[in-house]
Amino acid sequence: MSVKGIHLAPHDAEVFARAVIRHAEEGDSSLLAGYSETCLPHIWNYQAFATWITDTMHNAGFAGFEGEFKRQIARAELQRQVASASANKLFSEFIAGTN
């Protein structure tokens, strides 16, 4: 199942619910056993994005957070989000919860 268009918590709850239902109705615990393998990759992907955007936003506006060099790097990263169609598409997908 893809997480396209679905935010993490509802997606993971649905994966878990389907696994529990299958186990209860059919005695098949394979979905329960694979729950972490199914859900953890996108969770870590979103954690990486959340960390990146938080650090970038803090650095972009205030040189005192990590210094002027990091401030300029953060501003360049944000500018790339605007100037690059592919970077903007990925950024938009993460913000919308569709990646």
Side-chain angles (χ1 to χ4, degrees):
M1 168 182 266
S2 171
V3 295
K4 295 281 185 200
I6 301 174
H7 290 281
L8 292 178
H11 170 265
D12 294 353
E14 180 181 353
V15 170
F16 185 69
R18 289 177 188 268
V20 169
I21 290 168
R22 179 171 295 171
H23 178 70
E25 291 180 351
E26 302 173 20
D28 179 0
S29 62
S30 63
L31 292 179
L32 283 172
Y35 175 78
S36 292
E37 186 177 328
T38 299
C39 293
L40 281 177
H42 67 263
I43 290 170
W44 282 115
N45 194 27
Y46 275 90
Q47 290 300 317
F49 172 74
T51 300
W52 172 80
I53 193 65
T54 299
D55 288 347
T56 299
M57 292 303 205
H58 281 286
N59 281 320
F62 178 55
F65 186 66
E66 286 194 42
E68 185 60 25
F69 177 78
K70 287 286 196 169
R71 180 176 173 270
Q72 292 300 330
I73 294 295
R75 286 178 171 244
E77 288 179 4
L78 291 174
Q79 182 60 38
R80 183 175 48 246
Q81 299 308 313
V82 174
S84 167
S86 57
N88 185 275
K89 181 179 184 300
L90 181 60
F91 182 81
S92 298
E93 289 173 359
F94 273 116
I95 292 296
T98 60
N99 182 299

